[in-house]
Amino acid sequence: MPKTIFVNLPVDDLAASVRFYEAIGCKKNAQFSGETAASMVWSDTITFQLLTREYFATFTSKQISDAHGTCEVLLALTRDTREQVDAIAEAAAAAGGKADVRARMDMGWMYNRAVEDPDGHILEAVWMDASAMA
């Protein structure tokens, strides 16, 4: 079995979050989804587990941050082209998120745009040409 990562995120409106993650390219895995959680598959090794805040709270005794006011993590998702980076940013904005929550980064060999999901979690769409790195 390959090493995989399941990114658990607390969400306020599960249906809205599902629409957002589908818009940026995830596929919903109905087998692991229900009224309190949705399993959104990004790739063979990366899955976003969207959990209602109440359900998320059952996994931790810590206070759950509000990602609109604090930053808990930056998640970078690679794409094959600059155009695919732009497509994610545009899809994020159209699906209830925010595109370009900071200035675009264009270093020639790397292109990066940061977006927020409806709950304020920051995702970076990144294209890199490693062969052209300085």
Side-chain angles (χ1 to χ4, degrees):
M1 178 175 188
K3 292 182 179 180
T4 59
I5 184 168
F6 293 87
V7 180
N8 296 282
L9 298 172
V11 301
D12 288 320
D13 182 335
L14 188 58
S17 294
V18 167
R19 284 190 299 274
F20 175 88
Y21 282 87
E22 286 177 332
I24 67 165
C26 291
K27 302 289 185 221
K28 185 176 179 183
N29 180 342
Q31 182 180 3
F32 297 107
S33 300
E35 291 184 19
T36 59
S39 180
M40 305 301 295
V41 179
W42 171 256
S43 71
D44 290 341
T45 58
I46 301 170
T47 300
F48 293 98
Q49 292 296 120
L50 308 177
L51 311 174
T52 62
R53 286 185 150 314
E54 297 77 20
Y55 187 48
F56 189 95
T58 67
F59 294 97
T60 183
S61 60
K62 293 183 177 184
Q63 180 179 353
I64 299 169
S65 66
D66 177 355
H68 290 291
T70 61
C71 183
E72 74 281 313
V73 67
L74 300 172
L75 301 168
L77 304 171
T78 59
R79 303 307 304 143
D80 292 329
T81 67
R82 289 171 173 265
E83 293 77 19
Q84 288 177 352
V85 169
D86 290 335
I88 281 186
E90 300 312 315
K98 295 179 186 173
D100 300 317
V101 295
R102 65 156 196 270
R104 297 177 194 195
M105 296 174 69
D106 190 345
M107 303 173 81
W109 58 272
M110 182 181 78
Y111 181 58
N112 177 317
R113 290 180 70 181
V115 302
E116 274 187 15
D117 74 4
D119 293 283
H121 305 291
I122 298 174
L123 306 171
E124 297 178 312
V126 181
W127 166 83
M128 289 191 304
D129 178 3
S131 67
M133 289 175 52

